[in-house]
Amino acid sequence: MTGGLLVAGTTSDAGKSVLTAGICRWLHRRGVKVAPFKAQNMSNNSAVVLGPDGRGGEIGRAQAMQAAACGLTPDLRFNPVLLKPGSDLSSQVVLLGEAVDTITAGTFRTLRPRLAETAYAALAELRSEYDVVICEGAGSPAEINLRDGDYVNMGLARQVGLPTIVVGDIDRGGVFAAMFGTLALLDPADQALIAGFVVNKFRGDMGLLAPGLAMLRHLTGRPTYGVLPWAVDLWLDAEDSLAYGRVLGRPAAPRGTEWLDVAVLRLPRISNATDVEALATEPGVRVRLTVEPAELAAADVVVLPGSKSTVADLAWLRETGLADAVTAHAAAGRPVLGICGGYQMLARAIHDPVESRQGSVPGLGLLPTEVTFDRSKTVRPAEGTVDGDVPVHGYEIHHGYVSTADPQLTPLLRYTDGTDEGAMHGVVHGTHWHGTFESDEFRRWFLTRAARLAGRTGFQVAPDTSFAAARERSLDLLGDLVEEHLDTDALWRLIEDGPPTDLPFIPPGAPPG
């Protein structure tokens, strides 16, 4: 089998990432050498990947998840362009894993030809090395104000002649209008590549949906390749924190007599929110995201997650009253954990001439440290121990570093070379490492400590939870959903043969681009 496919969507969070991963898993299980690709991702959820030179680089976390679905080690080429929003008007540009610039909407046009060239070259290399490349679009292909110069959606499909399927989230309502409208807003050459549709997150009577699918085919001349049911267990590796509900996953009953309640602050520029997902796989651990100060009063553990804009999000904590709530939580003797940007916020002071350019600002003062931002960015895998011999691994993505610390401060972690990292100060904990909770032994160590500090003597950590196994089950579920609910024979032909040659044009269509 040789070929490719573009998975586009009617909106952001329509299901492109999970459908791409599911198709990848289906093909991988059939013995196809398949790879994922997303020309440009905009997300603060990233994964660290080692490049050919051995240095760490960043790609979107969804592409790392899709690589796992393919049975592959993540490759920087799977997501050659990553935009990390630092504010409503600017984003950091990560090109083949390396941060190269910060842009606004105005300066993006100047840089876009270089980004497109890099993306096309990366896809060409992958297509020469793999039998099939399953590409994921971004947002919607019908954003006609952005069509000129597009290299992520139909611009990419046109570049290499990729057949395209459009997925829509029926749980949001209006899926038929969204699918028809997406097609009808494209110019004739783009429409010629749209082969059909997939409905996502359906729950209900298929008998009621079927007439609508038949009418959609009559109106567009294109089939619906299948209807994916709502699957409550698909929540790991979320592309965006907005995909989360208030409570992560479906917490299993506790092994002991008490639950452990973990409140995670949903920061405006939250990054790598997936750090806390591993906690939510544990029986008896309830993990919820919140923006309400009152909810921290009932929590056993408070987590300040990563942030792409540490100083700005710290100011937001103060404006909303969450800063006072975090301080009160620690003063009451209950555990607080800061991860990366959240760790930096716990310091006495933050000196930032780089990211926010606000100079020196006071931190929350819960750790006897000071943080200084540097123009060089630390991006690397991390491995070490906690408490002497408990193994832990993770990764680092940050500009800020601890420049001053009380010499009596207890480190939280230790690198394999013996260097200390992070801090413990009473009930307050902090680390720059992301992904530590995916290490099963470290996760159990932290939860046991947190429960003791919170006074939850009836909480008992499960000795057998495997986060890696939970992720594999999620990927296998995606593959199962594709095999059971999509017309895989038709998808196979589409990937091998390309778009059908007799697809009708649906007016009005955009002017030819």
Side-chain angles (χ1 to χ4, degrees), residues 95-406:
L95 189 61
L96 286 175
E98 182 180 355
V100 297
D101 205 348
T102 298
I103 58 165
T104 64
T107 58
F108 179 67
R109 292 181 180 275
T110 303
L111 188 60
R112 187 165 53 192
R114 176 188 174 191
L115 304 182
E117 181 181 358
T118 302
Y120 292 152
L123 178 58
E125 289 181 7
L126 293 175
R127 285 169 65 86
S128 71
E129 297 172 20
Y130 292 89
D131 298 331
V132 174
V133 179
I134 304 298
C135 303
E136 178 188 340
S140 163
E143 292 166 348
I144 53 178
N145 56 314
L146 303 176
R147 178 61 182 89
D148 182 32
D150 165 57
Y151 62 93
V152 189
N153 290 303
M154 301 316 298
L156 180 74
R158 289 264 288 272
Q159 178 73 13
V160 293
L162 286 175
T164 301
I165 56 175
V166 176
V167 58
D169 179 355
I170 196 169
D171 194 57
R172 297 185 178 192
V175 72
F176 293 120
M179 288 174 166
F180 181 87
T182 295
L183 179 66
L185 281 174
L186 300 178
D187 72 26
D190 286 350
Q191 285 197 24
L193 299 175
I194 303 291
F197 309 98
V198 170
V199 174
N200 189 32
K201 296 183 183 177
F202 177 71
R203 38 187 171 183
D205 185 347
M206 274 298 298
L208 295 177
L209 182 65
L213 300 179
M215 284 186 276
L216 183 66
R217 180 160 193 162
H218 174 75
L219 289 168
T220 66
R222 291 159 173 85
T224 296
Y225 287 96
V227 177
L228 297 175
W230 175 277
V232 71
D233 291 325
L234 292 178
W235 57 275
L236 289 177
D237 294 302
E239 172 74 355
D240 192 300
S241 66
L242 294 177
Y244 292 133
R246 284 180 50 80
V247 178
L248 299 190
R250 289 191 299 170
R255 297 291 176 90
T257 59
E258 288 189 288
W259 287 78
L260 192 69
D261 190 82
V262 180
V264 182
L265 304 188
R266 192 193 286 268
L267 302 170
R269 298 294 170 188
I270 191 171
S271 68
N272 289 74
T274 49
D275 283 338
V276 297
E277 289 184 342
L279 292 178
T281 64
E282 287 286 351
V285 179
R286 181 176 184 266
V287 181
R288 53 194 169 89
L289 279 80
T290 182
V291 295
E292 297 295 335
E295 292 192 358
L296 270 59
D300 299 310
V301 184
V302 170
V303 177
L304 283 71
S307 168
K308 185 63 184 68
S309 300
T310 298
V311 171
D313 279 356
L314 177 58
W316 177 81
L317 288 184
R318 290 193 165 106
E319 292 167 2
T320 58
L322 283 165
D324 290 338
V326 171
T327 302
H329 185 89
R334 288 175 292 171
V336 172
L337 170 66
I339 302 173
C340 200
Y343 171 37
Q344 295 164 0
M345 294 178 197
L346 298 175
R348 289 173 177 164
I350 300 172
H351 312 291
D352 181 13
V354 176
E355 191 175 79
S356 68
R357 301 180 182 178
Q358 292 191 26
S360 296
V361 299
L364 296 177
L366 295 178
L367 287 175
T369 58
E370 293 188 10
V371 170
T372 299
F373 275 68
D374 190 85
R375 293 193 179 279
S376 62
K377 189 176 186 180
T378 298
V379 182
R380 62 187 179 189
E383 189 172 349
T385 59
V386 64
D387 203 21
D389 60 355
V390 177
V392 57
H393 64 267
Y395 55 96
E396 297 180 65
I397 308 171
H398 55 92
H399 283 281
Y401 62 93
V402 175
S403 53
T404 305
D406 187 323

